[in-house]
C-alpha cells in the first residue's frame, strides 16, 4: 500500500492528505468500543479534562490488542515507510476523545516543535497519521490545518502549561494571523474510518466540542528509525524509547480480530441470558 503520485503531490504542496474509507465499519466499531473501555479505566496513561472527561489515552498499542493491530497496520505504516524511504517506529500513540460537551481545545501548534524541543528528535522525519473513530464534523471539534504552513520550518513557540491538562509548545496569534493570510484554514471532515496524514511542521489546532456528538481520533506518530529521539524528558509511554522497526501485520488482521471479538462477546451475552433465564420447574 502506498500513496499515488497525486496524493504525494498534494502532501508536498498542502502538507496533508485525506484518505476516506480506509477502515471498514466493522474495523472501526471494535476500535471505538475498545477506546471507550480504555477511557473508563483509571490507568496513568489516560489523561482527563478539568471536568474529568477523558482527553487522551497514551500508548494503547502496548496494552490493547485491537490498537496493537492498528499500530502495525499496513494501510497506515506503509505510506509512511514510502515517504521516509526507510522503516518506521512508533514515537507516540494517542486516542484523543474530544468528549461531548467537555472536549477542550488543542491550541495552535506544530507537532515537530514538541518532538524537537522535548524529545531531541533530529529532523521532521516523523508525522501523525489520524484515524477517525467517530464522524468528524465541522461542529464537534475537528482538526484545523493551515495549508502550506509545513514549508515554514520550526516556528517560535511558547510552552503553555496552563490552558489545558496537556503541555504544548504553542504559536502566538500574530503568527497564526500571518500564516492564515497565505494558506487560509481548513477543517477536513469525514466518516469514521477516514484517515488524515499530516506533516510534522503543519500548523494545526482544534476547537472545543460543545455538541452532544463524540469525536474520537487515534493518532499514530510514526518516525523514521534513523531519526529516533535523543532526549528522554517525558515518560516512556508518551515518547517511546523502543526504536524497533514496525513489522506491518496482514491487511485483514484487524478485521479478523473484530470478527472473533464479536463472536466471543455474543457467546458471553448468550451465557448470561441462559444463566438468568427464569426456571419453569
Ligand atoms: C493534536 O494536535 O495532537 C491533537 C488535536 C486533536 O485531537 O484535536
Ligand atoms: Mn498536534
Amino acid at each position: 500500500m502506498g500513496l499515488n503520485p497525486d496524493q504525494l503531490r498534494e502532501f508536498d504542496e498542502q502538507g496533508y492528505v485525506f484518505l476516506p474509507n480506509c477502515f471498514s465499519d466493522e474495523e472501526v466499531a471494535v476500535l471505538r468500543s475498545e477506546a471507550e473501555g480504555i477511557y473508563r479505566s483509571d490507568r496513568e496513561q489516560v489523561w482527563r479534562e478539568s471536568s474529568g472527561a477523558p482527553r487522551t489515552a497514551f500508548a494503547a498499542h502496548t496494552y490493547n490488542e485491537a490498537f496493537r493491530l492498528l499500530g502495525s497496520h499496513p494501510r497506515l505504516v506503509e505510506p509512511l515507510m514510502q515517504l521516509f524511504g526507510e522503516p518506521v517506529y512508533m514515537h507516540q500513540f494517542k486516542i484523543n476523545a474530544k468528549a461531548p460537551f467537555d472536549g477542550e481545545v488543542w491550541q495552535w501548534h506544530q507537532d515537530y516543535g514538541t518532538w524537537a524541543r522535548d524529545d531531541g528528535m533530529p529532523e521532521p522525519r516523523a508525522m501523525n497519521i489520524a484515524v477517525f473513530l467517530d464522524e468528524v464534523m465541522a461542529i464537534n471539534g475537528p482538526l484545523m490545518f493551515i495549508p502550506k504552513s509545513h514549508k515554514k520550518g520550526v516556528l517560535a513557540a511558547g510552552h503553555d502549561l496552563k490552558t489545558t491538562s496537556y503541555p504544548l509548545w504553542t504559536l502566538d496569534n500574530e503568527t497564526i494571523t500571518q500564516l492564515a493570510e497565505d494558506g487560509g484554514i481548513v477543517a477536513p471532515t469525514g466518516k469514521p474510518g477516514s484517515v488524515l496524514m499530516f506533516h510534522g511542521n503543519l500548523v494545526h489546532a482544534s476547537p472545543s466540542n460543545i455538541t452532544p456528538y463524540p469525536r474520537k481520533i487515534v493518532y499514530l506518530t510514526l518516525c523514521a528509525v534513523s531519526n529516533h529521539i535523543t532526549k528522554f524528558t517525558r515518560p516512556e509511554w508518551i515518547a517511546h524509547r523502543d526504536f524497533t522497526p514496525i513489522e506491518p501485520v496482514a491487511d485483514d488482521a484487524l478485521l479478523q480480530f473484530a470478527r472473533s471479538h464479536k463472536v466471543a462477546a455474543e457467546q458471553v451475552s448468550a451465557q448470561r441470558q441462559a444463566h438468568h433465564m427464569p426456571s419453569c420447574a
Side-chain angles (χ1 to χ4, degrees):
M1 266 214 63
L3 298 177
N4 65 36
D6 286 345
Q7 290 167 328
L8 287 168
R9 193 174 325 108
E10 193 180 332
F11 175 76
D12 181 50
E13 285 170 8
Q14 304 296 318
Y16 69 96
V17 185
F18 181 70
L19 308 167
N21 305 314
C22 239
F23 291 92
S24 68
D25 290 349
E26 250 179 307
E27 290 170 318
V28 175
V30 74
L31 294 169
R32 195 186 300 121
S33 101
E34 295 293 292
E36 282 157 8
I38 292 169
Y39 289 148
R40 283 192 296 273
S41 68
D42 69 354
R43 307 174 151 272
E44 63 178 342
Q45 290 93 342
V46 179
W47 285 19
R48 299 189 180 274
E49 308 284 14
S50 48
S51 67
R55 177 174 177 83
T56 189
F58 289 99
H61 68 304
T62 63
Y63 53 79
N64 178 281
E65 180 61 8
F67 288 107
R68 183 187 75 79
L69 295 170
L70 188 73
S72 303
H73 206 288
R75 286 174 231 158
L76 305 176
V77 172
E78 285 175 4
L80 292 216
M81 290 169 68
Q82 174 195 17
L83 267 175
F84 296 137
E86 63 170 293
V88 294
Y89 79 94
M90 189 70 70
H91 171 59
Q92 187 174 78
F93 189 101
K94 302 194 293 280
I95 316 169
N96 284 0
K98 194 72 80 170
F101 298 110
D102 285 322
E104 294 174 13
V105 298
W106 289 76
Q107 313 92 305
W108 288 107
H109 66 282
Q110 295 171 300
D111 292 327
Y112 179 65
T114 296
W115 305 332
R117 292 175 179 105
D118 288 355
D119 306 327
M121 187 184 284
E123 301 284 334
R125 300 187 66 238
M127 72 166 111
N128 268 328
I129 182 156
V131 183
F132 295 2
L133 298 190
D134 296 307
E135 179 162 359
V136 176
M137 300 177 264
I139 54 174
N140 65 348
L143 270 177
M144 301 191 297
F145 291 155
I146 302 189
K148 306 185 171 85
S149 55
H150 64 304
K151 305 265 189 199
K152 306 284 182 187
V154 179
L155 298 158
H159 204 196
D160 182 349
L161 302 167
K162 292 207 184 110
T163 307
T164 69
S165 60
Y166 193 97
L168 209 56
W169 289 92
T170 59
L171 306 176
D172 64 23
N173 293 353
E174 201 185 323
T175 307
I176 298 305
T177 306
Q178 277 170 12
L179 291 170
E181 271 170 24
D182 290 347
I185 297 179
V186 298
T189 56
K191 296 279 178 207
S194 304
V195 164
L196 253 181
M197 300 175 42
F198 54 103
H199 192 284
N201 278 337
L202 191 74
V203 174
H204 61 285
S206 60
S208 59
N209 182 9
I210 57 168
T211 75
Y213 311 119
R215 190 236 64 175
K216 286 182 282 304
I217 300 180
V218 186
Y219 296 88
L220 279 66
T221 306
L222 297 169
C223 181
V225 169
S226 67
N227 190 48
H228 67 75
I229 63 170
T230 58
K231 251 166 74 181
F232 307 118
T233 62
R234 304 198 285 173
E236 197 285 331
W237 43 269
I238 295 184
H240 300 301
R241 294 164 205 175
D242 177 357
F243 311 135
T244 311
I246 297 173
E247 199 57 60
V249 295
D251 191 79
D252 69 347
L254 183 59
L255 184 64
Q256 295 307 336
F257 175 83
R259 289 185 178 161
S260 60
H261 204 68
K262 204 166 153 211
V263 169
E266 280 165 4
Q267 279 167 354
V268 169
S269 148
Q271 276 164 8
R272 282 211 186 109
Q273 275 176 16
H275 189 67
H276 291 115
M277 211 171 309
S279 163
C280 301

